[in-house]
Amino acid sequence: MDYIICFDIGGTFIKYGLINQKGQMMFKDKALTPKHDIQTLLPELIIEKVKLLQNDFAITGIGISSCGLVNHEKGEILFSNNLPGYSGMKLAETLFKSIELPVVVENDVKSACLGEMWKGAIQGKQNVVFLTLGTGIGSSIIIDGNIVNGSHQLAGELGHTVIVANGRTCGCGRRGCYERYAATSAFVNDYIEEKKKQGVILENVSGEQILQLVNEKDPVASMVYKRFISYISIGLVNIVHLLNPEAIIIGGGIAEQTEQFIQDINIVIKKEMMPIYHNQKDLVFPSTLGNDAGLYGACYLTLKKFSHLQV
């Protein structure tokens, strides 16, 4: 059987795995992401892993899910603020010259979205929006089974749509962006600020820890949580009215922490959506593939591009 070796390149780790044409993960591991001279060390690392696995498996392609803005048609990294020196790298071309296997490169959030569509939470659906809540909001849009890339591969930045006029300053240069209110980091910062008003200074707290306080009926955590759900829902209702998706999938640690989080979002958006959009019980679902979603998506794209997979 033929196999695709897939890599998910992040700022700290590079996860990699071997997946067959049926979408079965046969092997996975991870390595540290190079912190310097990345245009030399990253290809070397990938080639090393490929050659090692070629000793035992018939590898027919390389699928790469990567942080940063990606031109998937050329396999180039347009921009990355996580990895110094990574911007502008011709990743697919560099790897092909060394190892002569077809290479597909795509943005990590887009890859994760396709992974969930192929083998995860959104199997069988063709019109989907996928968001990851973390330091910011990563997002991807699928229409008729295909990623929406836009004219310059930049489509789908839902985190930088404005939900509060003249609101909080965002790293993108605008004010009031969705991710400044609905990312996990915003949730944490809001809680820290509310505790500061009470004279309590917090330095280290996670979204998951705040959710635990919500479960324990802590009044400050509960207030901040209710506001957080409201902000998330504002953006999601805008998405529903704009794109009319079959499903919205939310990934990230906080979304996978508790079923109640997703249930609370569904309750609020049902109150805010126009009634004609109420055509199913729930619209929002948690990611089910977790950290493996990007690997599955990279495999899916590689199989699809080189006609090993009928979709």
Side-chain angles (χ1 to χ4, degrees), residues 13 15 56 59 62-63 100 123 164 224 230 276 288 294-295:
F13 291 105
K15 299 184 288 292
D56 299 307
I59 296 174
I62 302 172
E100 295 186 345
Q123 292 182 71
V164 178
V224 172
S230 176
I276 196 170
T288 58
L295 294 176

Side-chain angles (χ1 to χ4, degrees), residues 63-88:
I64 296 178
S65 162
S66 176
C67 59
L69 298 176
V70 174
N71 182 328
H72 77 284
E73 293 178 350
K74 296 182 178 181
E76 296 180 9
I77 309 303
L78 297 174
F79 175 75
S80 173
N81 59 2
N82 291 324
L83 298 175
Y86 195 35
S87 298

Side-chain angles (χ1 to χ4, degrees), residues 170-227:
C170 181
C172 75
R174 304 185 76 198
R175 297 178 67 90
C177 285
Y178 187 34
E179 71 174 37
R180 294 295 291 118
Y181 296 86
T184 303
S185 60
F187 179 45
V188 170
N189 289 338
D190 281 354
Y191 178 74
I192 290 173
E193 286 301 312
E194 290 297 335
K195 294 299 288 185
K196 187 176 180 180
K197 292 176 184 177
Q198 297 182 340
V200 178
I201 305 300
L202 297 174
E203 293 185 1
N204 295 308
V205 64
S206 68
E208 289 80 4
Q209 289 172 322
I210 302 171
L211 285 183
Q212 182 58 44
L213 292 172
V214 173
N215 293 335
E216 296 169 5
K217 309 300 182 184
D218 178 90
V220 175
S222 298
M223 176 186 67
V224 172
Y225 175 74
K226 183 177 180 180
R227 193 161 61 207

Side-chain angles (χ1 to χ4, degrees), residues 231-301:
Y231 283 135
I232 292 173
S233 301
I234 289 170
L236 297 189
V237 171
N238 288 341
I239 290 168
V240 170
H241 290 164
L242 178 65
L243 297 171
N244 187 27
E246 296 171 80
I248 297 172
I249 307 302
I250 300 182
I254 194 169
E256 298 158 13
Q257 183 75 10
T258 170
E259 292 182 6
Q260 190 62 47
F261 178 70
I262 299 296
Q263 290 175 10
D264 289 341
I265 292 171
N266 275 309
I267 289 169
V268 174
I269 67 170
K270 285 175 184 176
K271 294 177 182 178
E272 297 297 328
M273 288 189 301
M274 288 190 286
I276 196 170
Y277 288 86
H278 294 192
N279 58 359
Q280 62 190 65
K281 182 179 178 182
D282 287 325
L283 189 63
V284 181
F285 302 91
S287 163
T288 58
L289 295 178
N291 290 331
D292 292 337
L295 294 176
Y296 280 103
C299 182
Y300 173 89
L301 280 168

